[in-house]
Amino acid sequence: MKKLLTGIAIHMALSCSFVSAQQSEAWKIVPGKITTPWAEKVNPAAPHPEYPRPQLIRGNWVNLNGQWNYSIVPKTSSDSKPASFQGKILVPFAIESALSGVGKTVGKDSVLWYQRTITLSSKLKNQSVLLNFGAVDWECDVFVNGKKAGSHKGGYDGFTVDITPFLVKGANQDLAVRVWDPSSDGPQPRGKQIKNPNGIWYTPVTGIWQTVWLETVPTTYIASTKHTPDIDKESITIKSAIKNAMPGDIVKITALDGTSSVAEKEVSPEEEAVLTIKNPKLWSPDAPDLYDLKIALIRKGKVIDEVKSYFAMRKISMKPDQNGIQRMLLNNKFVFQYGPLDQGWWPDGLYTAPTDEALKFDIEKTKEMGFNMIRKHVKVEPATWYRYCDQLGMLVWQDMPSGDMGNHWEPNPGITGNETERDRTPESETIYKTEWKAIMDANHNFPSIVVWVPFNEAWGQFKTGEISDWTKAYDPSRLVNSASGGNFFPVGDIMDLHHYPAPAMPRPELFGQKQIIVLGEFGGLGLPVDQHTWQQKDNWGYQSFKTKDELYNKYETFIDRFEPLIKKGLSAAVYTQTTDVEVEINGLMTYDRKVIKMPEAKLKQIHSKLYNSAWGN
């Protein structure tokens, strides 16, 4: 029997039952590791309460984060929910993390079960209840009242399950989630996770690690939107995906600058809307101007669904300079892009920042240090992270999380000819292609993302030409860095070298005529800070120092080397890295974010000289 609901009723019922559940069992962080300043601010009754989907905001929703029941059982056991549970886990923190309150490893031979009861009330015709997951690593089955309601594979893209057909008579509904994650024993994208953490490889992340929430929608509703700006034509193209559209339905799209409407258009659900934005404010790190959007679904003159979103007018492109060397352009002008390798790990939450304030902190500090770009390294962040990059004016290079590794890497691209590609199974290839497309779809609307990076350092690199060409064709509005520091193939827009510790660049006369030349990683200067490390000894960096002054002085000599490189044709560089991560101590900040190793103001001052646009002409 279908149970149909109003958003207000959901919110009230869930809020009451959820708070009482939290009070029944105390949560505490697992001791033994360093923590960030935000760990003590985590509210177990409402962790990460912020709205999780800033590019598609809808009013009728309720957050399901908090304490759930959990059990770890053998993978060979029945697909049925366990008869009893082993304790409570704090969602959305992965079970291996301290903030989950559990701190256990799962592994390929076991599955992780979650369970909780949700309370729904009040009937309303022509409404559906959607259950949304920000991210679950890796294979997930969703059960509602004992029946399988949906499945998903992919640790880095969100998914939605319409649970309306599975609701039963009465207020209480049973929700269970089954997760299997083989970590480094499987071919799936996993980034830096490994079952035996060491060196540059970190603790596994299993299960729910982003927000879970419910929303009510009409039977016909706006499922997604896609925004693509064109500053040369002074226009924005918007395509809406409408679920269960009816003949005669209209999609009305309004673009706003503050409270003022600057463009408006009505189209059918199947049509793209092209809105003219006259004299557009161009988005850049110096002026991160954003426009708001309202998308309304109209039937017979009545709004039946409405969402809010936003967009920016910006362009990323390439063009040869006066010497014939390809340059990376932002809004048709050369802007040297310089930023840290940002892995997005936390000592207390692993993949998940303790709070939204913590998530924003890393971007703010990066901006204060005078960087204008972040390379998001083999991980995808929650949507709110990209929203902050959009708001603060931070360019983003987005990596595809690595997986199915094992092929040979030649660290001097195109020189020795020893490069190889991974011979993946059809299953592995399908997993990669499916998730890469999903990641690109989910993050297309964030203007801060200017570069897609399908591979890193030959980690699972396969069919480089095919993947690079497909990525470019699928999203021609961005540049493609086919293999950052990986095995070189003359495809994609960018030639990317990794070189530690000092800056270097590929020879522009060999590569620069066809591709943009960048230094995708360098640096790695280490400074262990006592009482702020993951472990007390045996920490690791590419080159280690004993004092902050020694570290800064060495770093400054590296910055001094950039001017001649930029003049020769270097368009961007990435310093390793934003923070220490587990045993790596080469961050600009300690892993717990309590110590900034080099003063922000001094960094901003020396970085400012890198942004001389005349060097790229």
Side-chain angles (χ1 to χ4, degrees), residues 308-601:
K308 295 180 180 179
S309 189
Y310 68 92
F311 68 94
M313 297 298 291
R314 72 98 184 90
K315 176 184 178 182
I316 188 72
S317 60
M318 58 190 287
K319 185 179 180 181
D321 62 15
Q322 60 184 4
N323 298 317
I325 305 301
Q326 293 289 346
R327 293 288 187 168
M328 189 182 300
L329 307 183
L330 179 67
N331 300 329
N332 297 321
K333 297 178 181 178
F334 173 66
V335 175
F336 186 74
Q337 296 190 24
Y338 183 53
L341 191 76
D342 191 307
Q343 307 208 57
W345 284 74
W346 302 82
D348 35 29
L350 298 181
Y351 258 16
T352 310
T355 66
D356 190 58
E357 180 186 11
L359 190 72
K360 187 179 182 181
F361 175 84
D362 282 2
I363 308 168
E364 290 176 322
K365 282 298 172 186
T366 301
K367 189 80 174 179
E368 290 173 17
M369 292 173 182
F371 295 102
N372 66 357
M373 175 263 280
I374 291 171
R375 180 180 167 206
K376 179 50 64 177
H377 189 44
V378 294
K379 184 200 175 192
V380 180
E381 292 290 355
T384 48
W385 187 88
Y386 299 96
R387 166 67 170 180
Y388 288 134
C389 289
D390 294 344
Q391 290 177 324
L392 296 171
M394 189 60 70
L395 299 162
V396 175
W397 296 11
Q398 179 59 57
D399 287 12
M400 170 63 177
S402 306
D404 201 358
M405 306 175 201
N407 46 308
H408 175 76
W409 175 49
E410 173 51 58
N412 296 304
I415 303 301
T416 67
N418 290 331
E419 300 85 357
T420 65
E421 293 190 292
R422 182 70 166 161
D423 184 15
R424 293 200 181 196
T425 65
E427 177 194 21
S428 175
E429 287 193 17
T430 298
I431 289 170
Y432 174 98
K433 292 174 181 178
T434 300
E435 191 154 2
W436 184 222
K437 179 182 180 297
I439 289 168
M440 291 178 65
D441 286 341
N443 296 289
H444 179 89
N445 290 347
F446 296 111
S448 52
I449 299 176
V450 293
V451 175
W452 296 120
V453 187
F455 299 110
N456 175 75
E457 288 187 359
W459 296 352
Q461 185 178 348
F462 76 103
K463 295 186 177 179
T464 311
E466 175 188 325
I467 298 299
S468 181
D469 290 347
W470 179 88
T471 302
K472 187 66 177 181
Y474 194 64
D475 184 7
S477 71
R478 291 180 170 92
L479 298 174
V480 177
N481 185 359
S482 59
S484 181
N487 291 331
F488 176 70
F489 293 85
V491 294
D493 302 310
I494 295 171
M495 168 62 187
D496 183 322
L497 173 70
H498 290 185
H499 189 273
Y500 287 96
M505 65 183 288
R507 293 170 61 183
E509 67 273 19
L510 292 180
F511 305 106
Q513 305 273 328
K514 295 182 178 180
Q515 291 176 301
I516 299 163
I517 296 173
V518 308
L519 174 60
E521 291 181 28
F522 83 102
L525 302 179
L527 176 68
V529 180
D530 190 40
Q531 304 303 314
H532 298 279
T533 54
W534 181 251
Q535 59 190 34
Q536 283 302 107
K537 61 179 182 177
D538 299 325
N539 292 295
W540 180 86
Y542 287 93
Q543 185 176 358
S544 293
F545 299 86
K546 294 181 179 180
T547 69
K548 291 182 178 181
D549 287 341
E550 288 179 358
L551 175 67
Y552 175 81
N553 291 338
K554 185 66 173 181
Y555 180 82
E556 188 176 23
T557 67
F558 285 177
I559 298 301
D560 289 340
R561 298 188 188 190
F562 272 112
E563 181 176 347
L565 300 180
I566 298 171
K567 288 180 177 179
K568 287 180 181 179
L570 189 69
S571 279
V574 177
Y575 177 78
T576 301
Q577 61 186 336
T578 305
T579 72
D580 297 346
V581 185
E582 299 203 357
V583 302
E584 287 188 62
I585 43 80
N586 46 31
L588 296 160
M589 299 182 280
T590 55
Y591 198 17
D592 59 11
R593 277 73 166 175
K594 293 178 180 178
V595 178
I596 311 297
K597 298 183 184 181
M598 292 184 279
E600 298 96 310

Side-chain angles (χ1 to χ4, degrees), residues 134-176:
V136 182
D137 196 356
W138 172 70
E139 183 178 272
C140 175
D141 296 317
V142 179
F143 298 84
V144 178
N145 296 313
K147 295 183 178 180
K148 191 173 181 178
S151 298
H152 182 261
K153 290 182 179 180
Y156 301 93
D157 61 298
F159 62 99
T160 298
V161 179
D162 185 346
I163 65 171
T164 313
F166 304 94
L167 303 177
V168 296
K169 185 177 181 180
N172 292 336
Q173 313 289 331
D174 183 82
L175 174 60

